[in-house]
């Protein structure tokens, strides 16, 4: 289409018109006459810039005209929530902070592609924020009144094993690895891996006592948990003796 050959002629034949005295557009020999619309201005500009397009069928330019009619709407923070689905997702994340994508997908009636598209859109316009932890991305509503320590704690409490370990250390400061493993019903190796993660996160502090290591909650995290219990005062259960988990197993913050 870009290499249009140029045609020329060696002679021209001029004949008198057969419709002299008749109105333009009238049939001369019984043929069908169809009025042709004038070329649109947008097409005139297009072929003026790219004259090679004059050799292409006009049907190939229909998508360009359709695109001009449909237009393009840029998604920004002001209009992102015009979508009912995005509003529902944002309300869900606000009620359930710290969930990772797969958990949200399990609890929200949307396909993976649709949910991923809406969440990426809201993240790009600043409605959602993400926090990475243990190979997963956890979601919070942007501007939520959580400190970095509270976000880390919310994410940790959403894991059942971590929640049980944190609960045990909170109730028994200075517990050994073996004591924690026995009380929470996990293997020593599993508890050790979880404690190492919580230590790297800054939630627990490890202090060696002879050949053993005692674990205590860091002061700031212990204070956060105490404040959570004071503000919420949820009913305690055998699975949640510390009393900061809602009946559905979700941190109530």
């Amino acid at each position: 289409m870009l290499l249009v050959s140029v045609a020329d002629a060696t002679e021209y034949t001029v004949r008198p018109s057969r419709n002299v005295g008749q109105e333009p557009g009238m049939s001369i020999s019984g043929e069908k006459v169809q009025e042709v619309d004038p070329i649109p201005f947008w097409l005139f500009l297009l072929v003026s810039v790219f004259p090679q397009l004059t050799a292409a069928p006009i049907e190939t330019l229909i998508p360009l005209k359709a695109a001009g009619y449909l237009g393009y709407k840029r998604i920004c923070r002001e209009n992102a929530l015009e979508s009912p689905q995005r509003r529902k997702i944002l309300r869900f994340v606000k009620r359930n902070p710290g969930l990772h994508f797969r958990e949200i997908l399990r609890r929200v009636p949307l396909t993976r592609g649709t949910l991923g598209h809406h969440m990426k859109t809201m993240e790009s316009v600043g409605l959602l924020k993400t926090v990475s932890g243990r190979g997963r991305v956890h979601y919070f509503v942007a501007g939520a009144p959580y400190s970095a320590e509270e976000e880390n704690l919310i994410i940790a409490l959403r894991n059942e094993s971590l929640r049980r370990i944190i609960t045990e250390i909170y109730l028994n400061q200075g517990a050994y690895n073996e004591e924690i493993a026995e009380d929470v019903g996990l293997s020593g190796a599993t508890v050790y891996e979880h404690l190492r993660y919580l230590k790297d996160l800054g939630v627990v502090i490890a202090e060696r006592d002879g050949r053993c290591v005692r674990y205590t909650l860091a002061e700031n995290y212990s204070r956060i948990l105490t404040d959570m219990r004071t503000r919420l005062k949820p009913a305690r259960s055998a699975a949640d003796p510390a009393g900061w988990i809602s009946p559905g197993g979700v941190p109530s913050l």
Side-chain angles (χ1 to χ4, degrees), residues 42-63:
W42 65 270
L43 183 58
F44 168 75
L45 294 178
L46 189 63
V47 298
S48 298
V49 178
F50 303 102
Q52 295 87 351
L53 293 177
T54 57
I58 190 63
E59 290 81 3
T60 60
L61 301 178
I62 292 178

Side-chain angles (χ1 to χ4, degrees), residues 39-95:
I39 181 173
F41 184 67
W42 65 270
L43 183 58
F44 168 75
L45 294 178
L46 189 63
V47 298
S48 298
V49 178
F50 303 102
Q52 295 87 351
L53 293 177
T54 57
I58 190 63
E59 290 81 3
T60 60
L61 301 178
I62 292 178
L64 295 175
K65 186 175 182 180
Y69 287 149
L70 294 176
Y72 173 74
K73 185 175 182 179
R74 181 176 180 271
I75 302 297
C76 59
R77 188 182 182 94
E78 287 71 24
N79 62 21
L81 294 182
E82 291 179 1
S83 166
Q85 289 183 331
R86 281 197 281 268
R87 290 199 300 269
K88 292 179 181 178
I89 295 171
L90 190 66
R91 286 197 298 267
F92 177 82
V93 174
K94 186 175 182 178
R95 292 194 303 265

